Amino acid sequence: MAITFDQVSKTFYLDGKNITYAFFINEWNYAEHLYFGKTIGHDDLRFIRSMGGLSALAVIPGEIRPRDTWWRMDSYHVFPSELTFYGSGDYRESAVLAEDIQGVRVSELLYVSHEILPEKPAICGMPSMKGGETLVVHLQDKYNGFGCDLYYTVYEDADVVARRAVYRNNGAEPLTLRRAYSFAFSLMDQEYDCITLHGTWARERRIDKTPMHHGVFSIDSKRTTSSAVLNPFLALARKGATEEHGDVYGVSLVYSSSFVLKAEGVNDGRTLITGGINDFDFSWKLEPGTCLETPEAVLAYSNEGVGGMSRCYHDAYRRYLINDRFADQPRPLVINNWEGTYFKFNTEKLKALADGVAGTGIDTFVLDDGWFGVRNDEYSGLGDWFVNTQKLEGGLKDIIDHVHGLGMRFGLWFEPEMVSEDSDLFRAHPDWAIGAPGRPRCRTRLQFMLDLTRKEVRDYIVDAINKVLRENEIDYVKWDYNRNVTESWSVGREPERQAEFAHRYALGVYDLCERIVNANPHIFFEGCAGGGARFDPAMLAYFPQIWTSDDTDAEERTKIQYGTSLVYPLSSMSCHVSAVPNHQTKRITDLKTRTEIAHLGPTGYELDSSTFTDADREEIRNSVQAFRSIEALLYQGDLYRTENPMEGNYFGLMVVSKDKKQGVLTAYRRTLIANEDPAVLKVRGLAPEKKYYVPELELTLQGSTLMGVGLPAKFKPADFQTLVFHFLAQD
Ligand code: GLA
């Protein structure tokens, strides 16, 4: 039993593999948070409750205090919270704000009942973690029909708690939600740093660390997508916690639209963490008898530092989020034509690209942007999902047959959510493109976005794409998304429901994914968003791997892949070897370096392979073999980040199999520094008592020795060099 309820103290204990999460129903029927951290006993934890300070706090509404107890601090403001609500004395960040038809914005959501379900129910219309024992706590407003169900899911073999809230209108009159976050919980002090992942196009997921302070630390997206700017992830690391040691709490939202995550340093000395759907430009009308499901927030805890938290997420997402048909399976090894040709290709050129890698072990040819409609540049064609036979004279069939004839699989690029102004689709349905009355549309990347909040628009996309997939033998799809919403407004929706747009857009994306991705289980789908601008857990539920960044420069990739690995497993990061000078940074790095950095995730190639010589092919054949030999280890093992490229000259990632029998360390040095003493590379995660053969050193050494002493950083004397070490247990 992962979830237990103590009838006497009214305490819920949620036990994961190494964690306990506990809260209780207090004397006011308020769900009061008690503890989240390392596994503890099921003791009555109410002894840790504080009376709060003597300050001018609001008391519980309607309460009449005996004269001599006026100083008691019973107040919604001082209870460590599972869900903060507004208007009744709690001045912290509210997780929810509901307004009734009289404009009253006061809530008191209190415990009514609970149930423990052996299996988690799916969220209607949204992806979420699968399985896991689930607690549902039913809260009801004391004075109106507003209700809320708090969902908690725990796994006996994972160190995460998946949380969400469902807001219900159980009354007879409409309510309007002005804020509807997914969760709240409290930490008992403020000795934390907030860790977030920020970025932009081609520079995704850099790590930021901000000391916790009084007031609200907040990150968000207003882009109707999770975005490269701030990932829907927030960690609170205890002061002094490192990559390897100390308490770290993570919050990762399974959501792909505008979000917010907040950590509030409250005046009582505690920290309140909350978030979910961004309430900026948001409202949701709840008619009687309806509900709003909020996205899942996955909370993680580790006392093994930031690295430990990452391993919690990697294990949980590989096991319970990423489609289990693919999660840890060998991935297609692709040649993608984008940087090799951009829009300039014809059938002969594509065949030559495929021929160039035939027999190397690259097993999938992916035809990128430009095969459809009239699409010779970014100006036209999006939305017209029929083949451009001027470019591809034999249609798709000719090139697909050729690729299949070489023993390779065939992949195709789509950007389903978009439409070009110059397209048959836009000419036929100009109102299907998102836009507000009386305002011009932003022509970001020379394209518009389709209004996925409308069913007829989604139906068109589903039919058009499924037709291509049905009529052609397609094995792989790259699903791109290259701009963000502007002028959000939807034809036909009442004015008071227009601020539902951003969340309805996410529901539209998920509906497309259900009807295209999940309806074609024989096809492997890769996610993409102008590089990694929609790299979030919700997308991972559909796309087992996501294009990590348009920047394939090895130096930049060390930072991007390092940052991404804070939350996301290596199996989720598509990594390509591309040409030099690199198209984004103009930097020249060795093929060995580009290859070994790309080998830290599902690998592919993206260059003009039609010019490959036999020697090139031999080199690729060897590198494909090297990758396949460590692929299962990368996807299933434990990740240890050994050197942070954002803090120094070195990068290091080490992966060790769960049984500790195998390990691999990829290290990188940015620049050669004259007369520098060779550094020592850290080794982590091995079994101390096991002996490992390290082929690169031709030595057998004990795990404790390797981890204690490290390895010599004898890089080739040049800039941008890699070293890879393998560790093979001998007993
Ligand atoms: C985005 C993707 C690229 C490529 C182009 C095509 O930028 O990230 O990989 O598919 O679109 O237009």
Side-chain angles (χ1 to χ4, degrees):
M1 281 280 278
I3 299 173
T4 43
F5 179 60
D6 182 272
Q7 301 276 357
V8 177
S9 62
K10 292 193 180 167
T11 303
F12 296 98
Y13 300 93
L14 286 66
D15 291 303
K17 190 170 156 207
N18 301 296
I19 57 169
T20 301
Y21 186 107
F23 65 98
F24 82 115
I25 306 303
N26 75 13
E27 57 273 47
W28 303 100
N29 284 327
Y30 185 92
E32 182 173 331
H33 182 83
L34 285 167
Y35 175 79
F36 182 27
K38 206 176 163 164
T39 302
I40 56 168
H42 289 191
D43 293 299
D44 184 344
L45 299 174
R46 290 174 297 174
F47 69 91
I48 59 161
R49 293 185 76 195
S50 107
M51 294 297 288
L54 286 179
S55 65
L57 283 170
V59 292
I60 305 286
E63 187 204 3
I64 300 169
R65 290 262 170 89
R67 287 184 70 88
D68 56 350
T69 62
W70 64 268
W71 45 267
R72 273 184 50 195
M73 285 300 120
D74 286 336
S75 159
Y76 293 135
H77 187 94
V78 300
F79 302 146
S81 186
E82 294 295 307
L83 190 88
T84 40
F85 43 76
Y86 183 70
S88 44
D90 189 344
Y91 300 108
R92 299 171 293 186
E93 278 294 311
S94 303
V96 61
L97 200 170
E99 181 176 335
D100 72 13
I101 49 166
Q102 297 179 78
V104 174
R105 301 161 327 283
V106 181
S107 293
E108 273 183 271
L109 287 164
L110 301 174
Y111 172 85
V112 181
S113 63
H114 72 268
E115 27 184 338
I116 296 173
L117 312 172
E119 182 82 359
K120 189 176 88 162
I123 308 183
C124 180
M126 266 189 288
S128 63
M129 304 245 302
K130 296 171 287 247
E133 207 173 302
T134 298
L135 166 68
V136 191
V137 178
H138 303 287
L139 308 178
Q140 178 63 47
D141 190 276
K142 254 171 127 174
Y143 301 99
N144 69 11
F146 185 41
C148 171
D149 298 335
L150 297 178
Y151 281 74
Y152 300 78
T153 301
V154 270
Y155 302 85
E156 280 170 352
D157 57 356
D159 286 327
V160 296
V161 180
R163 287 201 49 186
R164 67 189 169 101
V166 178
Y167 296 103
R168 297 185 182 284
N169 186 347
N170 301 320
E173 286 166 342
L175 291 169
T176 301
L177 294 173
R178 304 239 171 260
R179 175 179 286 188
Y181 293 168
S182 299
F183 72 99
F185 73 98
S186 298
L187 296 174
M188 299 306 170
D189 63 3
Q190 293 170 5
E191 293 299 302
Y192 297 97
D193 288 316
C194 298
I195 298 177
T196 55
L197 296 172
H198 71 100
T200 185
W201 175 76
R203 217 168 54 235
E204 294 89 343
R205 288 171 292 285
R206 299 290 208 261
I207 301 169
D208 245 352
K209 206 173 185 183
T210 314
M212 192 59 225
H213 51 72
H214 286 101
V216 181
F217 173 86
S218 171
I219 57 161
D220 79 346
S221 162
K222 301 183 186 72
R223 294 168 178 258
T224 315
T225 188
S226 46
S227 98
V229 178
L230 283 160
N231 198 260
F233 160 74
L234 167 67
L236 275 90
R238 181 162 286 292
K239 289 255 182 253
T242 63
E243 178 62 26
E244 299 182 22
H245 303 288
D247 294 332
V248 180
Y249 295 87
V251 183
S252 167
L253 268 186
V254 187
Y255 195 46
S256 315
S257 190
S258 301
F259 71 91
V260 64
L261 287 172
K262 294 176 175 171
E264 180 180 9
V266 184
N267 61 342
D268 60 8
R270 298 182 183 123
T271 302
L272 177 81
I273 302 165
T274 185
I277 297 171
N278 198 344
D279 49 311
F280 176 83
D281 191 24
F282 167 86
S283 71
W284 195 274
K285 196 159 173 208
L286 268 189
E287 294 291 351
T290 66
C291 69
L292 173 69
E293 303 229 28
T294 63
E296 189 163 76
V298 181
L299 317 182
Y301 166 79
S302 173
N303 64 352
E304 290 178 15
V306 182
M309 175 208 66
S310 298
R311 289 187 288 280
C312 295
Y313 279 122
H314 298 170
D315 281 345
Y317 284 169
R318 290 186 296 204
R319 215 164 293 154
Y320 296 111
L321 184 71
I322 301 175
N323 188 331
D324 42 23
R325 272 182 304 120
F326 300 115
D328 51 14
Q329 293 305 307
R331 298 293 170 77
L333 230 151
V334 309
I335 173 80
N336 176 303
N337 73 306
W338 178 242
E339 288 199 0
T341 65
Y342 292 106
F343 290 107
K344 287 197 181 61
F345 58 81
N346 56 23
T347 306
E348 289 322 302
K349 180 69 183 176
L350 297 179
K351 286 182 180 173
L353 289 170
D355 292 344
V357 296
T360 59
I362 291 178
D363 59 16
T364 307
F365 178 86
V366 178
L367 172 51
D368 212 280
D369 195 355
W371 60 268
F372 51 88
V374 182
R375 179 87 168 160
N376 298 317
D377 51 34
E378 284 94 349
Y379 281 84
S380 58
L382 290 172
D384 295 344
W385 301 114
F386 44 84
V387 67
N388 178 338
T389 45
Q390 278 192 332
K391 265 181 169 173
L392 302 178
E393 283 173 5
L396 280 175
K397 185 171 176 0
D398 190 10
I399 175 71
I400 293 175
D401 286 350
H402 184 84
V403 167
H404 283 164
L406 294 171
M408 294 163 72
R409 287 177 281 195
F410 182 81
L412 199 59
W413 182 96
F414 289 93
E415 201 178 358
E417 299 154 68
M418 303 291 162
V419 62
S420 300
E421 199 167 5
D422 182 2
S423 67
D424 291 353
L425 181 63
F426 185 75
R427 281 182 282 277
H429 299 286
D431 67 301
W432 283 11
I434 298 168
R439 307 223 159 232
R441 296 182 176 98
C442 288
R443 290 183 173 82
T444 311
R445 212 197 192 224
L446 309 167
Q447 63 197 52
F448 297 147
M449 292 187 64
L450 290 167
D451 184 353
L452 299 195
T453 71
R454 291 169 65 181
K455 182 163 184 313
E456 64 275 29
V457 179
R458 298 197 302 274
D459 288 347
Y460 164 81
I461 299 170
V462 169
D463 289 348
I465 291 177
N466 279 343
K467 183 167 186 291
V468 179
L469 301 182
R470 210 173 34 247
E471 291 177 355
N472 299 280
E473 284 180 62
I474 289 160
D475 312 294
Y476 184 114
V477 165
K478 176 177 172 186
W479 179 312
D480 211 339
Y481 166 91
N482 276 312
R483 61 157 288 182
N484 296 159
V485 170
T486 52
E487 301 88 34
S488 60
W489 191 85
S490 193
V491 174
R493 198 167 294 283
E494 312 88 287
E496 71 269 24
R497 284 190 176 270
Q498 288 293 343
E500 296 178 5
F501 188 93
H503 183 57
R504 286 192 183 276
Y505 187 88
L507 297 178
V509 175
Y510 303 143
D511 182 49
L512 286 192
C513 289
E514 289 294 334
R515 293 158 70 195
I516 299 174
V517 179
N518 289 353
N520 290 287
H522 60 291
I523 298 178
F524 185 93
F525 282 81
E526 177 191 44
C528 178
R534 195 163 61 183
F535 205 122
D536 63 56
M539 288 291 98
L540 268 190
Y542 298 107
F543 308 122
Q545 66 189 61
I546 299 177
W547 184 222
T548 317
S549 175
D550 276 344
D551 195 338
T552 47
D553 171 41
E555 158 65 18
E556 292 303 302
R557 275 297 185 121
T558 60
K559 298 170 208 148
I560 296 166
Q561 293 170 203
Y562 187 100
T564 305
S565 79
L566 249 60
V567 189
Y568 305 98
L570 296 183
S571 62
S572 65
M573 297 181 217
S574 302
C575 303
H576 288 181
V577 178
S578 60
V580 286
N582 179 270
H583 291 200
Q584 278 70 42
T585 62
K586 312 295 173 220
R587 188 175 284 121
I588 295 177
T589 52
D590 292 353
L591 179 60
K592 174 179 177 297
T593 301
R594 279 175 276 149
T595 305
E596 287 176 347
I597 297 299
H599 280 185
L600 287 166
T603 299
Y605 287 77
E606 185 162 337
L607 31 70
D608 187 351
S609 51
S610 66
T611 60
F612 280 178
T613 62
D614 284 346
D616 293 334
R617 267 187 286 279
E618 184 56 25
E619 191 157 356
I620 290 176
R621 196 172 297 119
N622 291 337
S623 103
V624 165
Q625 267 175 20
F627 176 68
R628 290 293 192 208
S629 74
I630 57 163
E631 188 179 14
L633 170 62
L634 291 178
Y635 299 167
Q636 296 163 26
D638 289 328
L639 178 76
Y640 295 85
R641 287 179 292 263
T642 54
E643 316 285 344
N644 182 346
M646 283 158 274
E647 288 178 355
N649 202 22
Y650 295 88
F651 159 88
L653 287 189
M654 174 143 184
V655 185
V656 180
S657 61
K658 293 274 178 198
D659 62 8
K660 305 275 185 198
K661 286 191 172 158
Q662 208 194 340
V664 64
L665 166 67
T666 301
Y668 165 88
R669 184 182 61 193
R670 180 174 305 126
T671 53
L672 173 68
I673 297 173
N675 202 17
E676 191 190 35
D677 273 343
V680 171
L681 299 173
K682 284 192 216 91
V683 175
R684 292 291 180 262
L686 299 176
E689 71 290 355
K690 277 194 195 302
K691 283 196 181 294
Y692 292 89
Y693 177 62
V694 186
E696 292 76 12
L697 299 177
E698 295 183 0
L699 286 175
T700 298
L701 297 162
Q702 199 158 320
S704 56
T705 307
L706 283 160
M707 292 190 289
V709 174
L711 290 171
K714 288 184 184 154
F715 292 92
K716 188 176 139 191
D719 291 343
F720 317 124
Q721 294 301 312
T722 42
L723 278 175
V724 175
F725 294 94
H726 295 80
F727 306 86
L728 308 166
Q730 298 302 290
D731 35 23

